[in-house]
Amino acid sequence: MEIKNIRWEEEEFLKKRKEVLKRWPTGSQVDIEESINYHKSILKNKISKFVLKKAKNEGITLTQPRAGVALINDHIKLLQYLEKEGMADLLPTTIDSYTRLNKYEEAQKGIEESIRLGRSMLNGFPAVNHGVKGCRKVCESVNVPVEVRHGTPDSRLLAEITLAGGFTDFEGGAITYNIPYSKNVPIKTSIRNWQYVDRLIGYYQDKGISINRESFGPLTGTLVPPCISHAVSVSEALLAATQGVKSISVGYGQCGNLIQDIASIKSLSILTEEYLKEFGFSDILITTVFHQWMGGFPYNEAESFAVISWGAVAAGLGGATKVIVKTPHEAYGIPTKEANALGLRTTKQILNMVKDQKLIEIELIEKEIDVIKEETNSILETVLNLGNGDIAIGLVRGFEAGVIDIPFAPSRFTMGKIIPARDNRGAVRFLNIGNLPFSKRIKKFHKRKLEERGKIENRKPSYKMVIDDIYAISKGYLVGRPKE
């Protein structure tokens, strides 16, 4: 399979659509021209691009939860509750695991079992099975934009049905919804699949319909250094823009150190705009997404609210366009709607309190921005060189060579050599840089940062330190030895 970062010809795209829509019976419900006309009737307050653009222009951080259940009416009740009681600015539809794996028959069994038992037996909304009409019923039931959130290496049919169903935002990408989620999906395959999704959204855009595309910033959600998630987000932005996408959100997962988190969300916006302009894309709306802590949460609700609040502070002070909100029930599994609403209200309160306290010219933040930019540029320039200027080819070769790598990922198509650990202030650094193409200065910087922590804790930097860091926040600290 040959992969290049070039825009699909319309004839090729339309031919492929016929195959994709045959993968499940509800594909027959999709009439793209009728869907385009349907989107033209959607009010602007329910279109992600316009809501995100307004927030960016006004310097406001919007809130969005995660949520999804098996049955249409139950899902509607859940979203309506989060809109009203949680005051969510944007709403999600989290897709179930069977749909993410394209196991639609299993998803159908989950729907039937949910009906029989009177409660959701799926961990999300099986949008493909519910079809276009079911999706429209969901989107029409609320007054804010609804986004498709999932985790699917091959989301082509999911995209066809949900976009036809009125969703105006679609999350994921060839790297972010492959490497952290799957073991055996080649990067070439996922790039090809996601080129289709981006071309579909580009096709809507060609007809005057703006669908926002969001890259999943947290990746594995476990101590991911900013330069890693930034390099991936920028790469996916370039892939999407090539296919005609005009509204792109790039994401970052909270690491816990306030200075690093603020610097990360600021540098992400700068880097994305720089690379898009370098490749000739100057008319694209770029917005940022900050994910509250994606690692382990404390079981104690009061402590969980503290973690949520800290994420809200970082998102607000960093100027993120949107924050993905966690709940005080994270440690227990799927949260109740009440817990979800509490997380939203907590975050909203913090955002209101910090909205006029933007941290812009603090020296430590500027220094951290410089480090992140240098590291990210090193990765991206090496990837582009490997691809002779083609980001798609470069990503395949880059992952093979380990010059772009993701920690703790299940995929066998990433080298997995890099090992992150916190420095003495809790910022995420590299214990093992692997094959990342960093300068000697940057390598010494990371070594020095971890040695400083080692001296204070009276131990050598090692994998035991990494393990402590993975469990730290759930046990009530950020950095240092766990309390005995």
Side-chain angles (χ1 to χ4, degrees):
M1 181 193 303
E2 186 179 10
I3 285 292
K4 289 185 178 179
N5 186 37
I6 56 175
R7 183 168 171 144
W8 283 28
E9 295 291 339
E10 188 167 309
E11 182 180 352
E12 176 191 12
F13 168 64
L14 294 176
K15 180 181 178 181
K16 194 66 179 177
R17 287 190 72 240
K18 293 179 181 179
E19 296 177 23
V20 170
L21 294 173
K22 290 178 180 177
R23 296 176 69 184
W24 189 252
T26 52
S28 63
Q29 298 174 5
V30 178
D31 178 338
I32 197 165
E33 298 306 325
E34 184 275 336
S35 299
I36 288 167
N37 289 328
Y38 176 80
H39 271 269
K40 290 177 180 178
S41 70
I42 299 175
L43 299 176
K44 283 189 176 182
N45 64 290
K46 295 178 67 172
I47 300 174
S48 282
K49 178 183 179 179
F50 294 106
V51 174
L52 291 168
K53 184 177 181 179
K54 184 174 185 292
K56 181 179 181 178
N57 291 341
E58 295 178 1
I60 295 170
T61 300
L62 304 173
T63 58
Q64 183 183 49
R66 291 181 174 87
V69 292
L71 304 180
I72 294 172
N73 289 338
D74 291 345
H75 187 59
I76 287 171
K77 289 176 183 177
L78 174 58
L79 295 189
Q80 289 176 337
Y81 183 90
L82 295 175
E83 180 184 7
K84 181 181 178 182
E85 300 299 327
M87 301 187 296
D89 300 304
L90 301 153
L91 288 167
T93 287
T94 301
I95 303 301
D96 69 287
S97 294
Y98 286 130
T99 301
R100 298 179 195 186
L101 297 172
N102 310 117
K103 294 183 177 181
Y104 309 123
E105 289 184 4
E106 297 299 322
Q108 189 61 40
K109 291 177 184 177
I111 292 171
E112 293 165 3
E113 192 72 356
S114 299
I115 293 171
R116 187 178 71 83
L117 296 174
R119 58 189 175 91
S120 181
M121 297 303 292
L122 296 173
N123 64 345
F125 184 78
V128 169
N129 295 70
H130 287 311
V132 174
K133 292 181 180 179
C135 289
R136 288 185 183 180
K137 190 174 180 182
V138 169
C139 293
E140 291 169 1
S141 70
V142 293
N143 300 301
V144 297
V146 190
E147 179 182 31
V148 183
R149 306 190 71 87
H150 49 118
T152 316
D154 181 3
S155 59
R156 293 173 294 175
L157 182 57
L158 177 65
E160 286 279 5
I161 287 174
T162 53
L163 298 188
F167 287 88
T168 61
D169 208 330
F170 198 84
E171 187 196 27
I175 305 303
T176 58
Y177 272 1
N178 176 7
I179 302 299
Y181 284 89
S182 302
K183 180 180 179 180
N184 294 314
V185 178
I187 293 172
K188 281 184 179 181
T189 301
S190 60
I191 289 177
R192 184 71 175 173
N193 291 340
W194 278 88
Q195 282 180 327
Y196 177 101
V197 173
D198 288 330
R199 186 66 203 103
L200 174 64
I201 291 173
Y203 187 90
Y204 274 91
Q205 184 65 56
D206 293 343
K207 307 293 183 178
I209 306 301
S210 291
I211 308 291
N212 187 63
R213 277 282 290 109
E214 180 182 325
S215 180
F216 179 66
L219 298 172
T220 54
T222 308
L223 300 178
V224 177
C227 65
I228 298 297
S229 56
H230 283 22
V232 172
S233 284
V234 171
S235 297
E236 291 190 348
L238 289 170
L239 290 169
T242 299
Q243 301 302 329
V245 179
K246 297 292 184 182
S247 179
I248 298 173
S249 293
V250 284
Y252 165 76
Q254 180 184 11
C255 285
N257 174 278
L258 186 63
I259 296 298
Q260 186 177 50
D261 285 336
I262 292 172
S264 295
I265 205 70
K266 289 182 177 296
S267 59
L268 177 57
S269 177
I270 294 167
L271 284 161
T272 305
E273 291 186 6
E274 286 178 351
Y275 274 92
L276 285 174
K277 286 180 181 178
E278 180 183 336
F279 280 84
F281 303 110
S282 57
D283 59 343
I284 296 174
L285 173 68
I286 300 297
T287 51
T288 53
V289 183
F290 185 95
H291 293 251
Q292 291 179 351
W293 179 243
M294 291 288 288
F297 258 68
Y299 281 91
N300 182 281
E301 285 197 13
E303 294 170 359
S304 289
F305 277 119
V307 176
I308 291 167
S309 297
W310 193 235
V313 169
L317 293 180
T321 317
K322 178 174 76 172
V323 57
I324 306 298
V325 178
K326 286 305 193 84
T327 82
H329 287 182
E330 293 298 323
Y332 294 93
I334 298 175
T336 64
K337 66 181 188 300
E338 291 82 6
N340 218 329
L342 288 173
L344 284 163
R345 281 182 171 269
T346 299
T347 298
K348 183 80 75 172
Q349 172 74 7
I350 295 288
L351 292 173
N352 288 338
M353 291 171 66
V354 304
K355 66 181 179 181
D356 297 317
Q357 302 183 56
K358 306 299 182 189
L359 303 181
I360 301 174
E361 296 179 351
I362 293 180
E363 185 178 358
L364 286 174
I365 293 177
E366 294 302 319
K367 286 182 177 179
E368 193 68 35
I369 287 174
D370 290 341
V371 170
I372 294 169
K373 287 177 68 177
E374 181 177 344
E375 292 172 346
T376 307
N377 282 327
S378 296
I379 294 170
L380 285 171
E381 292 307 315
T382 304
V383 167
L384 285 165
N385 285 337
L386 285 173
N388 297 318
D390 188 300
I391 192 67
I393 298 172
L395 283 169
V396 175
R397 294 174 179 172
F399 273 104
E400 288 175 350
V403 298
I404 182 169
D405 201 355
I406 295 174
F408 311 117
S411 175
R412 62 186 181 89
F413 296 98
T414 191
M415 194 162 284
K417 276 192 173 183
I418 60 173
I419 302 174
R422 295 189 184 278
D423 67 16
N424 194 51
R425 296 180 182 273
V428 175
R429 308 300 182 189
F430 289 94
L431 177 66
N432 188 336
I433 288 173
N435 293 353
L436 298 182
F438 290 167
S439 66
K440 289 183 179 179
R441 188 180 71 82
I442 288 293
K443 290 178 180 178
K444 288 179 180 178
F445 168 81
H446 286 278
K447 184 179 180 182
R448 184 179 74 250
K449 286 292 185 180
L450 291 179
E451 285 176 346
E452 287 172 357
R453 174 182 171 185
K455 285 181 180 179
I456 288 175
E457 296 182 5
N458 194 29
R459 60 172 171 168
K460 291 184 178 180
S462 67
Y463 201 76
K464 178 62 170 66
M465 193 178 278
V466 179
I467 294 171
D468 290 343
D469 291 345
I470 289 171
Y471 291 102
I473 287 179
S474 67
K475 294 184 177 180
Y477 61 98
L478 178 64
V479 64
R481 288 186 183 275
K483 295 180 179 65
E484 299 297 335

